[in-house]
PDB file of all heavy atoms in Angstrom:
ATOM      1  N   SER A 185     -35.184  18.055 -47.072  1.00  0.00           N
ATOM      2  CA  SER A 185     -35.309  18.271 -48.539  1.00  0.00           C
ATOM      3  C   SER A 185     -36.186  19.497 -48.703  1.00  0.00           C
ATOM      4  O   SER A 185     -37.261  19.601 -48.068  1.00  0.00           O
ATOM      5  CB  SER A 185     -35.995  17.064 -49.191  1.00  0.00           C
ATOM      6  OG  SER A 185     -36.327  17.343 -50.534  1.00  0.00           O
ATOM      7  N   THR A 186     -35.731  20.449 -49.493  1.00  0.00           N
ATOM      8  CA  THR A 186     -36.480  21.685 -49.706  1.00  0.00           C
ATOM      9  C   THR A 186     -37.907  21.382 -50.175  1.00  0.00           C
ATOM     10  O   THR A 186     -38.829  21.969 -49.690  1.00  0.00           O
ATOM     11  CB  THR A 186     -35.762  22.588 -50.700  1.00  0.00           C
ATOM     12  OG1 THR A 186     -34.424  22.841 -50.225  1.00  0.00           O
ATOM     13  CG2 THR A 186     -36.522  23.936 -50.828  1.00  0.00           C
ATOM     14  N   PHE A 187     -38.025  20.452 -51.134  1.00  0.00           N
ATOM     15  CA  PHE A 187     -39.364  20.102 -51.615  1.00  0.00           C
ATOM     16  C   PHE A 187     -39.576  18.580 -51.443  1.00  0.00           C
ATOM     17  O   PHE A 187     -39.144  17.748 -52.248  1.00  0.00           O
ATOM     18  CB  PHE A 187     -39.488  20.479 -53.142  1.00  0.00           C
ATOM     19  CG  PHE A 187     -39.311  21.919 -53.408  1.00  0.00           C
ATOM     20  CD1 PHE A 187     -38.124  22.407 -53.987  1.00  0.00           C
ATOM     21  CD2 PHE A 187     -40.248  22.839 -53.058  1.00  0.00           C
ATOM     22  CE1 PHE A 187     -37.946  23.751 -54.232  1.00  0.00           C
ATOM     23  CE2 PHE A 187     -40.084  24.195 -53.260  1.00  0.00           C
ATOM     24  CZ  PHE A 187     -38.921  24.664 -53.870  1.00  0.00           C
ATOM     25  N   SER A 188     -40.194  18.309 -50.317  1.00  0.00           N
ATOM     26  CA  SER A 188     -40.391  16.848 -49.987  1.00  0.00           C
ATOM     27  C   SER A 188     -41.364  16.168 -50.939  1.00  0.00           C
ATOM     28  O   SER A 188     -41.378  14.973 -50.995  1.00  0.00           O
ATOM     29  CB  SER A 188     -40.884  16.685 -48.533  1.00  0.00           C
ATOM     30  OG  SER A 188     -42.097  17.421 -48.386  1.00  0.00           O
ATOM     31  N   GLU A 189     -42.163  16.964 -51.681  1.00  0.00           N
ATOM     32  CA  GLU A 189     -43.039  16.366 -52.678  1.00  0.00           C
ATOM     33  C   GLU A 189     -42.293  15.890 -53.920  1.00  0.00           C
ATOM     34  O   GLU A 189     -42.804  15.121 -54.695  1.00  0.00           O
ATOM     35  CB  GLU A 189     -44.150  17.336 -53.057  1.00  0.00           C
ATOM     36  CG  GLU A 189     -43.738  18.550 -53.808  1.00  0.00           C
ATOM     37  CD  GLU A 189     -43.289  19.735 -52.927  1.00  0.00           C
ATOM     38  OE1 GLU A 189     -43.015  19.464 -51.716  1.00  0.00           O
ATOM     39  OE2 GLU A 189     -43.226  20.884 -53.421  1.00  0.00           O
ATOM     40  N   ILE A 190     -41.052  16.367 -54.051  1.00  0.00           N
ATOM     41  CA  ILE A 190     -40.182  15.902 -55.138  1.00  0.00           C
ATOM     42  C   ILE A 190     -39.293  14.807 -54.699  1.00  0.00           C
ATOM     43  O   ILE A 190     -39.102  13.768 -55.400  1.00  0.00           O
ATOM     44  CB  ILE A 190     -39.403  17.104 -55.725  1.00  0.00           C
ATOM     45  CG1 ILE A 190     -40.332  18.072 -56.436  1.00  0.00           C
ATOM     46  CG2 ILE A 190     -38.299  16.597 -56.675  1.00  0.00           C
ATOM     47  CD1 ILE A 190     -39.662  19.299 -56.882  1.00  0.00           C
ATOM     48  N   ALA A 191     -38.675  14.981 -53.517  1.00  0.00           N
ATOM     49  CA  ALA A 191     -37.832  13.887 -52.960  1.00  0.00           C
ATOM     50  C   ALA A 191     -37.868  13.982 -51.428  1.00  0.00           C
ATOM     51  O   ALA A 191     -37.735  15.100 -50.900  1.00  0.00           O
ATOM     52  CB  ALA A 191     -36.401  14.052 -53.398  1.00  0.00           C
ATOM     53  N   MET A 192     -38.158  12.929 -50.774  1.00  0.00           N
ATOM     54  CA  MET A 192     -38.120  12.848 -49.342  1.00  0.00           C
ATOM     55  C   MET A 192     -36.826  12.208 -48.870  1.00  0.00           C
ATOM     56  O   MET A 192     -36.198  11.456 -49.657  1.00  0.00           O
ATOM     57  CB  MET A 192     -39.322  12.081 -48.778  1.00  0.00           C
ATOM     58  CG  MET A 192     -39.402  10.635 -49.250  1.00  0.00           C
ATOM     59  SD  MET A 192     -40.797   9.723 -48.491  1.00  0.00           S
ATOM     60  CE  MET A 192     -42.171  10.617 -49.146  1.00  0.00           C
ATOM     61  N   ILE A 193     -36.387  12.520 -47.678  1.00  0.00           N
ATOM     62  CA  ILE A 193     -35.104  11.942 -47.173  1.00  0.00           C
ATOM     63  C   ILE A 193     -35.310  11.416 -45.792  1.00  0.00           C
ATOM     64  O   ILE A 193     -35.964  12.043 -44.938  1.00  0.00           O
ATOM     65  CB  ILE A 193     -34.004  13.000 -47.258  1.00  0.00           C
ATOM     66  CG1 ILE A 193     -32.637  12.344 -46.976  1.00  0.00           C
ATOM     67  CG2 ILE A 193     -34.282  14.177 -46.356  1.00  0.00           C
ATOM     68  CD1 ILE A 193     -31.450  13.165 -47.401  1.00  0.00           C
ATOM     69  N   THR A 194     -34.708  10.279 -45.523  1.00  0.00           N
ATOM     70  CA  THR A 194     -34.879   9.582 -44.227  1.00  0.00           C
ATOM     71  C   THR A 194     -33.947  10.172 -43.142  1.00  0.00           C
ATOM     72  O   THR A 194     -33.076  10.978 -43.476  1.00  0.00           O
ATOM     73  CB  THR A 194     -34.557   8.061 -44.372  1.00  0.00           C
ATOM     74  OG1 THR A 194     -33.211   7.902 -44.669  1.00  0.00           O
ATOM     75  CG2 THR A 194     -35.439   7.455 -45.465  1.00  0.00           C
ATOM     76  N   GLU A 195     -34.008   9.680 -41.954  1.00  0.00           N
ATOM     77  CA  GLU A 195     -33.211  10.165 -40.854  1.00  0.00           C
ATOM     78  C   GLU A 195     -31.780   9.787 -40.997  1.00  0.00           C
ATOM     79  O   GLU A 195     -30.900  10.404 -40.412  1.00  0.00           O
ATOM     80  CB  GLU A 195     -33.754   9.582 -39.505  1.00  0.00           C
ATOM     81  CG  GLU A 195     -35.162  10.085 -39.139  1.00  0.00           C
ATOM     82  CD  GLU A 195     -35.622   9.415 -37.827  1.00  0.00           C
ATOM     83  OE1 GLU A 195     -34.922   8.536 -37.347  1.00  0.00           O
ATOM     84  OE2 GLU A 195     -36.682   9.894 -37.354  1.00  0.00           O
ATOM     85  N   ILE A 196     -31.477   8.816 -41.849  1.00  0.00           N
ATOM     86  CA  ILE A 196     -30.129   8.440 -42.067  1.00  0.00           C
ATOM     87  C   ILE A 196     -29.535   8.866 -43.391  1.00  0.00           C
ATOM     88  O   ILE A 196     -28.461   8.410 -43.859  1.00  0.00           O
ATOM     89  CB  ILE A 196     -29.929   6.898 -41.902  1.00  0.00           C
ATOM     90  CG1 ILE A 196     -30.823   6.125 -42.891  1.00  0.00           C
ATOM     91  CG2 ILE A 196     -30.222   6.427 -40.508  1.00  0.00           C
ATOM     92  CD1 ILE A 196     -30.615   4.613 -42.943  1.00  0.00           C
ATOM     93  N   GLY A 197     -30.277   9.766 -44.098  1.00  0.00           N
ATOM     94  CA  GLY A 197     -29.766  10.385 -45.308  1.00  0.00           C
ATOM     95  C   GLY A 197     -29.956   9.649 -46.604  1.00  0.00           C
ATOM     96  O   GLY A 197     -29.136   9.791 -47.542  1.00  0.00           O
ATOM     97  N   ILE A 198     -31.057   8.868 -46.737  1.00  0.00           N
ATOM     98  CA  ILE A 198     -31.420   8.223 -47.984  1.00  0.00           C
ATOM     99  C   ILE A 198     -32.589   8.939 -48.604  1.00  0.00           C
ATOM    100  O   ILE A 198     -33.681   8.917 -48.035  1.00  0.00           O
ATOM    101  CB  ILE A 198     -31.682   6.736 -47.823  1.00  0.00           C
ATOM    102  CG1 ILE A 198     -30.436   6.038 -47.214  1.00  0.00           C
ATOM    103  CG2 ILE A 198     -32.096   6.080 -49.129  1.00  0.00           C
ATOM    104  CD1 ILE A 198     -30.639   4.586 -46.920  1.00  0.00           C
ATOM    105  N   ALA A 199     -32.385   9.529 -49.783  1.00  0.00           N
ATOM    106  CA  ALA A 199     -33.444  10.252 -50.460  1.00  0.00           C
ATOM    107  C   ALA A 199     -34.167   9.364 -51.464  1.00  0.00           C
ATOM    108  O   ALA A 199     -33.539   8.510 -52.067  1.00  0.00           O
ATOM    109  CB  ALA A 199     -32.888  11.491 -51.158  1.00  0.00           C
ATOM    110  N   LYS A 200     -35.492   9.523 -51.580  1.00  0.00           N
ATOM    111  CA  LYS A 200     -36.320   8.797 -52.533  1.00  0.00           C
ATOM    112  C   LYS A 200     -36.989   9.784 -53.468  1.00  0.00           C
ATOM    113  O   LYS A 200     -37.621  10.748 -53.022  1.00  0.00           O
ATOM    114  CB  LYS A 200     -37.306   7.903 -51.814  1.00  0.00           C
ATOM    115  CG  LYS A 200     -38.206   7.111 -52.818  1.00  0.00           C
ATOM    116  CD  LYS A 200     -39.248   6.275 -52.120  1.00  0.00           C
ATOM    117  CE  LYS A 200     -40.096   5.557 -53.140  1.00  0.00           C
ATOM    118  NZ  LYS A 200     -41.162   4.657 -52.487  1.00  0.00           N
ATOM    119  N   GLY A 201     -36.954   9.506 -54.794  1.00  0.00           N
ATOM    120  CA  GLY A 201     -37.591  10.354 -55.733  1.00  0.00           C
ATOM    121  C   GLY A 201     -39.053  10.143 -55.728  1.00  0.00           C
ATOM    122  O   GLY A 201     -39.529   9.008 -55.893  1.00  0.00           O
ATOM    123  N   VAL A 202     -39.810  11.208 -55.427  1.00  0.00           N
ATOM    124  CA  VAL A 202     -41.273  11.077 -55.366  1.00  0.00           C
ATOM    125  C   VAL A 202     -41.967  11.597 -56.552  1.00  0.00           C
ATOM    126  O   VAL A 202     -42.969  10.993 -57.046  1.00  0.00           O
ATOM    127  CB  VAL A 202     -41.802  11.810 -54.092  1.00  0.00           C
ATOM    128  CG1 VAL A 202     -43.296  11.792 -53.988  1.00  0.00           C
ATOM    129  CG2 VAL A 202     -41.163  11.332 -52.840  1.00  0.00           C
ATOM    130  N   ASP A 203     -41.463  12.642 -57.159  1.00  0.00           N
ATOM    131  CA  ASP A 203     -42.076  13.191 -58.383  1.00  0.00           C
ATOM    132  C   ASP A 203     -40.985  13.929 -59.160  1.00  0.00           C
ATOM    133  O   ASP A 203     -39.907  14.249 -58.659  1.00  0.00           O
ATOM    134  CB  ASP A 203     -43.207  14.173 -57.977  1.00  0.00           C
ATOM    135  CG  ASP A 203     -44.185  14.392 -59.149  1.00  0.00           C
ATOM    136  OD1 ASP A 203     -43.971  13.826 -60.233  1.00  0.00           O
ATOM    137  OD2 ASP A 203     -45.166  15.093 -58.895  1.00  0.00           O
ATOM    138  N   VAL A 204     -41.342  14.186 -60.405  1.00  0.00           N
ATOM    139  CA  VAL A 204     -40.337  14.869 -61.305  1.00  0.00           C
ATOM    140  C   VAL A 204     -40.123  16.295 -60.851  1.00  0.00           C
ATOM    141  O   VAL A 204     -41.072  17.065 -60.594  1.00  0.00           O
ATOM    142  CB  VAL A 204     -40.849  14.793 -62.764  1.00  0.00           C
ATOM    143  CG1 VAL A 204     -39.903  15.529 -63.687  1.00  0.00           C
ATOM    144  CG2 VAL A 204     -41.006  13.343 -63.246  1.00  0.00           C
ATOM    145  N   GLY A 205     -38.855  16.672 -60.796  1.00  0.00           N
ATOM    146  CA  GLY A 205     -38.530  18.091 -60.401  1.00  0.00           C
ATOM    147  C   GLY A 205     -37.111  18.160 -59.743  1.00  0.00           C
ATOM    148  O   GLY A 205     -36.353  17.175 -59.854  1.00  0.00           O
ATOM    149  N   ILE A 206     -36.842  19.295 -59.171  1.00  0.00           N
ATOM    150  CA  ILE A 206     -35.548  19.567 -58.514  1.00  0.00           C
ATOM    151  C   ILE A 206     -35.752  20.040 -57.097  1.00  0.00           C
ATOM    152  O   ILE A 206     -36.610  20.901 -56.828  1.00  0.00           O
ATOM    153  CB  ILE A 206     -34.738  20.607 -59.291  1.00  0.00           C
ATOM    154  CG1 ILE A 206     -34.569  20.173 -60.750  1.00  0.00           C
ATOM    155  CG2 ILE A 206     -33.432  20.878 -58.630  1.00  0.00           C
ATOM    156  CD1 ILE A 206     -33.880  21.280 -61.591  1.00  0.00           C
ATOM    157  N   THR A 207     -34.908  19.480 -56.209  1.00  0.00           N
ATOM    158  CA  THR A 207     -34.978  19.889 -54.791  1.00  0.00           C
ATOM    159  C   THR A 207     -33.572  20.028 -54.287  1.00  0.00           C
ATOM    160  O   THR A 207     -32.584  19.684 -54.965  1.00  0.00           O
ATOM    161  CB  THR A 207     -35.785  18.873 -53.961  1.00  0.00           C
ATOM    162  OG1 THR A 207     -35.930  19.396 -52.618  1.00  0.00           O
ATOM    163  CG2 THR A 207     -35.072  17.510 -53.891  1.00  0.00           C
ATOM    164  N   SER A 208     -33.410  20.471 -53.019  1.00  0.00           N
ATOM    165  CA  SER A 208     -32.113  20.659 -52.414  1.00  0.00           C
ATOM    166  C   SER A 208     -32.080  19.856 -51.116  1.00  0.00           C
ATOM    167  O   SER A 208     -33.028  19.834 -50.367  1.00  0.00           O
ATOM    168  CB  SER A 208     -31.870  22.104 -52.092  1.00  0.00           C
ATOM    169  OG  SER A 208     -31.715  22.854 -53.265  1.00  0.00           O
ATOM    170  N   ILE A 209     -30.930  19.203 -50.884  1.00  0.00           N
ATOM    171  CA  ILE A 209     -30.714  18.357 -49.704  1.00  0.00           C
ATOM    172  C   ILE A 209     -29.692  19.077 -48.787  1.00  0.00           C
ATOM    173  O   ILE A 209     -28.624  19.512 -49.293  1.00  0.00           O
ATOM    174  CB  ILE A 209     -30.219  16.984 -50.106  1.00  0.00           C
ATOM    175  CG1 ILE A 209     -31.187  16.300 -51.048  1.00  0.00           C
ATOM    176  CG2 ILE A 209     -30.031  16.127 -48.836  1.00  0.00           C
ATOM    177  CD1 ILE A 209     -32.601  16.063 -50.504  1.00  0.00           C
ATOM    178  N   LYS A 210     -29.942  19.114 -47.503  1.00  0.00           N
ATOM    179  CA  LYS A 210     -28.999  19.658 -46.554  1.00  0.00           C
ATOM    180  C   LYS A 210     -29.131  18.935 -45.235  1.00  0.00           C
ATOM    181  O   LYS A 210     -30.081  18.204 -44.971  1.00  0.00           O
ATOM    182  CB  LYS A 210     -29.174  21.172 -46.388  1.00  0.00           C
ATOM    183  CG  LYS A 210     -30.487  21.579 -45.824  1.00  0.00           C
ATOM    184  CD  LYS A 210     -30.644  23.067 -45.755  1.00  0.00           C
ATOM    185  CE  LYS A 210     -32.028  23.493 -45.183  1.00  0.00           C
ATOM    186  NZ  LYS A 210     -32.156  24.960 -45.126  1.00  0.00           N
ATOM    187  N   ALA A 211     -28.142  19.174 -44.345  1.00  0.00           N
ATOM    188  CA  ALA A 211     -28.166  18.560 -43.020  1.00  0.00           C
ATOM    189  C   ALA A 211     -27.844  19.632 -41.967  1.00  0.00           C
ATOM    190  O   ALA A 211     -27.129  20.614 -42.248  1.00  0.00           O
ATOM    191  CB  ALA A 211     -27.120  17.469 -42.947  1.00  0.00           C
ATOM    192  N   ILE A 212     -28.437  19.536 -40.795  1.00  0.00           N
ATOM    193  CA  ILE A 212     -28.265  20.443 -39.699  1.00  0.00           C
ATOM    194  C   ILE A 212     -27.970  19.711 -38.382  1.00  0.00           C
ATOM    195  O   ILE A 212     -28.566  18.674 -38.077  1.00  0.00           O
ATOM    196  CB  ILE A 212     -29.534  21.264 -39.498  1.00  0.00           C
ATOM    197  CG1 ILE A 212     -29.912  22.054 -40.779  1.00  0.00           C
ATOM    198  CG2 ILE A 212     -29.395  22.322 -38.396  1.00  0.00           C
ATOM    199  CD1 ILE A 212     -31.296  22.696 -40.742  1.00  0.00           C
ATOM    200  N   LYS A 213     -27.013  20.271 -37.617  1.00  0.00           N
ATOM    201  CA  LYS A 213     -26.688  19.718 -36.291  1.00  0.00           C
ATOM    202  C   LYS A 213     -26.136  20.857 -35.436  1.00  0.00           C
ATOM    203  O   LYS A 213     -25.234  21.583 -35.877  1.00  0.00           O
ATOM    204  CB  LYS A 213     -25.696  18.586 -36.406  1.00  0.00           C
ATOM    205  CG  LYS A 213     -25.312  17.969 -35.014  1.00  0.00           C
ATOM    206  CD  LYS A 213     -24.338  16.811 -35.241  1.00  0.00           C
ATOM    207  CE  LYS A 213     -23.820  16.312 -33.926  1.00  0.00           C
ATOM    208  NZ  LYS A 213     -24.875  15.658 -33.153  1.00  0.00           N
ATOM    209  N   ASP A 214     -26.681  20.931 -34.241  1.00  0.00           N
ATOM    210  CA  ASP A 214     -26.222  21.972 -33.245  1.00  0.00           C
ATOM    211  C   ASP A 214     -26.194  23.366 -33.883  1.00  0.00           C
ATOM    212  O   ASP A 214     -25.223  24.161 -33.602  1.00  0.00           O
ATOM    213  CB  ASP A 214     -24.848  21.587 -32.743  1.00  0.00           C
ATOM    214  CG  ASP A 214     -24.834  20.225 -31.972  1.00  0.00           C
ATOM    215  OD1 ASP A 214     -25.898  19.842 -31.530  1.00  0.00           O
ATOM    216  OD2 ASP A 214     -23.760  19.602 -31.955  1.00  0.00           O
ATOM    217  N   GLY A 215     -27.125  23.654 -34.711  1.00  0.00           N
ATOM    218  CA  GLY A 215     -27.188  24.984 -35.318  1.00  0.00           C
ATOM    219  C   GLY A 215     -26.297  25.154 -36.486  1.00  0.00           C
ATOM    220  O   GLY A 215     -26.277  26.244 -37.173  1.00  0.00           O
ATOM    221  N   ILE A 216     -25.502  24.178 -36.823  1.00  0.00           N
ATOM    222  CA  ILE A 216     -24.579  24.210 -37.978  1.00  0.00           C
ATOM    223  C   ILE A 216     -25.321  23.640 -39.182  1.00  0.00           C
ATOM    224  O   ILE A 216     -25.812  22.533 -39.139  1.00  0.00           O
ATOM    225  CB  ILE A 216     -23.322  23.423 -37.719  1.00  0.00           C
ATOM    226  CG1 ILE A 216     -22.619  23.914 -36.434  1.00  0.00           C
ATOM    227  CG2 ILE A 216     -22.330  23.527 -38.912  1.00  0.00           C
ATOM    228  CD1 ILE A 216     -22.169  25.337 -36.515  1.00  0.00           C
ATOM    229  N   ILE A 217     -25.367  24.409 -40.233  1.00  0.00           N
ATOM    230  CA  ILE A 217     -26.020  24.031 -41.483  1.00  0.00           C
ATOM    231  C   ILE A 217     -25.001  23.675 -42.519  1.00  0.00           C
ATOM    232  O   ILE A 217     -24.006  24.343 -42.706  1.00  0.00           O
ATOM    233  CB  ILE A 217     -26.962  25.130 -42.064  1.00  0.00           C
ATOM    234  CG1 ILE A 217     -27.969  25.568 -40.992  1.00  0.00           C
ATOM    235  CG2 ILE A 217     -27.647  24.701 -43.310  1.00  0.00           C
ATOM    236  CD1 ILE A 217     -28.825  26.734 -41.350  1.00  0.00           C
ATOM    237  N   SER A 218     -25.197  22.523 -43.161  1.00  0.00           N
ATOM    238  CA  SER A 218     -24.272  22.024 -44.155  1.00  0.00           C
ATOM    239  C   SER A 218     -24.396  22.739 -45.453  1.00  0.00           C
ATOM    240  O   SER A 218     -25.289  23.584 -45.621  1.00  0.00           O
ATOM    241  CB  SER A 218     -24.543  20.501 -44.391  1.00  0.00           C
ATOM    242  OG  SER A 218     -25.709  20.395 -45.183  1.00  0.00           O
ATOM    243  N   ASN A 219     -23.593  22.368 -46.380  1.00  0.00           N
ATOM    244  CA  ASN A 219     -23.731  22.851 -47.784  1.00  0.00           C
ATOM    245  C   ASN A 219     -25.025  22.180 -48.303  1.00  0.00           C
ATOM    246  O   ASN A 219     -25.527  21.259 -47.786  1.00  0.00           O
ATOM    247  CB  ASN A 219     -22.542  22.372 -48.636  1.00  0.00           C
ATOM    248  CG  ASN A 219     -22.378  20.871 -48.588  1.00  0.00           C
ATOM    249  OD1 ASN A 219     -22.358  20.259 -47.529  1.00  0.00           O
ATOM    250  ND2 ASN A 219     -22.253  20.225 -49.769  1.00  0.00           N
ATOM    251  N   GLU A 220     -25.570  22.749 -49.406  1.00  0.00           N
ATOM    252  CA  GLU A 220     -26.757  22.181 -50.031  1.00  0.00           C
ATOM    253  C   GLU A 220     -26.383  21.552 -51.388  1.00  0.00           C
ATOM    254  O   GLU A 220     -25.561  22.065 -52.118  1.00  0.00           O
ATOM    255  CB  GLU A 220     -27.805  23.306 -50.305  1.00  0.00           C
ATOM    256  CG  GLU A 220     -28.432  23.841 -49.046  1.00  0.00           C
ATOM    257  CD  GLU A 220     -29.585  24.760 -49.323  1.00  0.00           C
ATOM    258  OE1 GLU A 220     -30.066  24.771 -50.442  1.00  0.00           O
ATOM    259  OE2 GLU A 220     -30.045  25.436 -48.385  1.00  0.00           O
ATOM    260  N   LEU A 221     -26.984  20.368 -51.606  1.00  0.00           N
ATOM    261  CA  LEU A 221     -26.797  19.677 -52.892  1.00  0.00           C
ATOM    262  C   LEU A 221     -28.095  19.599 -53.671  1.00  0.00           C
ATOM    263  O   LEU A 221     -29.130  19.241 -53.055  1.00  0.00           O
ATOM    264  CB  LEU A 221     -26.234  18.236 -52.640  1.00  0.00           C
ATOM    265  CG  LEU A 221     -24.855  18.165 -52.041  1.00  0.00           C
ATOM    266  CD1 LEU A 221     -24.452  16.713 -51.857  1.00  0.00           C
ATOM    267  CD2 LEU A 221     -23.815  18.868 -52.975  1.00  0.00           C
ATOM    268  N   SER A 222     -28.055  19.913 -54.931  1.00  0.00           N
ATOM    269  CA  SER A 222     -29.263  19.858 -55.767  1.00  0.00           C
ATOM    270  C   SER A 222     -29.463  18.397 -56.235  1.00  0.00           C
ATOM    271  O   SER A 222     -28.605  17.752 -56.727  1.00  0.00           O
ATOM    272  CB  SER A 222     -29.082  20.798 -56.969  1.00  0.00           C
ATOM    273  OG  SER A 222     -30.188  20.725 -57.789  1.00  0.00           O
ATOM    274  N   LEU A 223     -30.706  17.956 -56.088  1.00  0.00           N
ATOM    275  CA  LEU A 223     -31.108  16.618 -56.519  1.00  0.00           C
ATOM    276  C   LEU A 223     -32.234  16.689 -57.546  1.00  0.00           C
ATOM    277  O   LEU A 223     -33.325  17.247 -57.268  1.00  0.00           O
ATOM    278  CB  LEU A 223     -31.517  15.780 -55.303  1.00  0.00           C
ATOM    279  CG  LEU A 223     -32.054  14.387 -55.628  1.00  0.00           C
ATOM    280  CD1 LEU A 223     -30.907  13.534 -56.133  1.00  0.00           C
ATOM    281  CD2 LEU A 223     -32.651  13.718 -54.336  1.00  0.00           C
ATOM    282  N   THR A 224     -32.006  16.135 -58.727  1.00  0.00           N
ATOM    283  CA  THR A 224     -32.987  16.147 -59.810  1.00  0.00           C
ATOM    284  C   THR A 224     -33.661  14.779 -59.884  1.00  0.00           C
ATOM    285  O   THR A 224     -32.995  13.780 -59.938  1.00  0.00           O
ATOM    286  CB  THR A 224     -32.344  16.489 -61.160  1.00  0.00           C
ATOM    287  OG1 THR A 224     -31.711  17.737 -61.083  1.00  0.00           O
ATOM    288  CG2 THR A 224     -33.375  16.496 -62.281  1.00  0.00           C
ATOM    289  N   VAL A 225     -34.984  14.793 -59.887  1.00  0.00           N
ATOM    290  CA  VAL A 225     -35.761  13.546 -60.077  1.00  0.00           C
ATOM    291  C   VAL A 225     -36.399  13.549 -61.462  1.00  0.00           C
ATOM    292  O   VAL A 225     -37.148  14.455 -61.818  1.00  0.00           O
ATOM    293  CB  VAL A 225     -36.904  13.436 -58.981  1.00  0.00           C
ATOM    294  CG1 VAL A 225     -37.671  12.158 -59.155  1.00  0.00           C
ATOM    295  CG2 VAL A 225     -36.252  13.531 -57.617  1.00  0.00           C
ATOM    296  N   THR A 226     -36.079  12.564 -62.235  1.00  0.00           N
ATOM    297  CA  THR A 226     -36.623  12.421 -63.595  1.00  0.00           C
ATOM    298  C   THR A 226     -37.795  11.419 -63.580  1.00  0.00           C
ATOM    299  O   THR A 226     -38.068  10.792 -62.598  1.00  0.00           O
ATOM    300  CB  THR A 226     -35.498  11.948 -64.575  1.00  0.00           C
ATOM    301  OG1 THR A 226     -34.995  10.699 -64.150  1.00  0.00           O
ATOM    302  CG2 THR A 226     -34.360  12.957 -64.605  1.00  0.00           C
ATOM    303  N   ALA A 227     -38.347  11.243 -64.807  1.00  0.00           N
ATOM    304  CA  ALA A 227     -39.525  10.361 -64.920  1.00  0.00           C
ATOM    305  C   ALA A 227     -39.146   8.965 -64.515  1.00  0.00           C
ATOM    306  O   ALA A 227     -37.974   8.536 -64.666  1.00  0.00           O
ATOM    307  CB  ALA A 227     -40.000  10.397 -66.376  1.00  0.00           C
ATOM    308  N   ALA A 228     -40.157   8.183 -64.059  1.00  0.00           N
ATOM    309  CA  ALA A 228     -39.915   6.784 -63.654  1.00  0.00           C
ATOM    310  C   ALA A 228     -39.303   5.947 -64.727  1.00  0.00           C
ATOM    311  O   ALA A 228     -39.612   6.133 -65.931  1.00  0.00           O
ATOM    312  CB  ALA A 228     -41.252   6.124 -63.190  1.00  0.00           C
ATOM    313  N   ALA A 229     -38.403   5.034 -64.343  1.00  0.00           N
ATOM    314  CA  ALA A 229     -37.693   4.191 -65.299  1.00  0.00           C
ATOM    315  C   ALA A 229     -38.376   2.820 -65.438  1.00  0.00           C
ATOM    316  O   ALA A 229     -38.858   2.311 -64.386  1.00  0.00           O
ATOM    317  CB  ALA A 229     -36.272   4.046 -64.861  1.00  0.00           C
ATOM    318  N   LEU A 230     -38.339   2.262 -66.576  1.00  0.00           N
ATOM    319  CA  LEU A 230     -38.884   0.917 -66.852  1.00  0.00           C
ATOM    320  C   LEU A 230     -37.895  -0.042 -66.186  1.00  0.00           C
ATOM    321  O   LEU A 230     -36.702  -0.064 -66.539  1.00  0.00           O
ATOM    322  CB  LEU A 230     -39.054   0.654 -68.331  1.00  0.00           C
ATOM    323  CG  LEU A 230     -39.544  -0.708 -68.743  1.00  0.00           C
ATOM    324  CD1 LEU A 230     -40.948  -0.950 -68.196  1.00  0.00           C
ATOM    325  CD2 LEU A 230     -39.472  -0.858 -70.244  1.00  0.00           C
ATOM    326  N   GLU A 231     -38.365  -0.918 -65.256  1.00  0.00           N
ATOM    327  CA  GLU A 231     -37.532  -1.821 -64.575  1.00  0.00           C
ATOM    328  C   GLU A 231     -37.672  -3.261 -65.078  1.00  0.00           C
ATOM    329  O   GLU A 231     -36.698  -4.028 -65.075  1.00  0.00           O
ATOM    330  CB  GLU A 231     -37.779  -1.757 -63.058  1.00  0.00           C
ATOM    331  CG  GLU A 231     -37.353  -0.408 -62.476  1.00  0.00           C
ATOM    332  CD  GLU A 231     -37.399  -0.430 -60.947  1.00  0.00           C
ATOM    333  OE1 GLU A 231     -38.238  -1.180 -60.380  1.00  0.00           O
ATOM    334  OE2 GLU A 231     -36.618   0.289 -60.313  1.00  0.00           O
TER     335      GLU A 231
END
């Protein structure tokens, strides 16, 4: 994740929203870089 303070991502590809903002998610293997996806984290929701 480009900005792990906004969203962190696990080794199996599950991202968690940490703070409000926008980050990019990508994957790398054997020097091959994937496409990037933008992930927006909004304010916490009432559960």
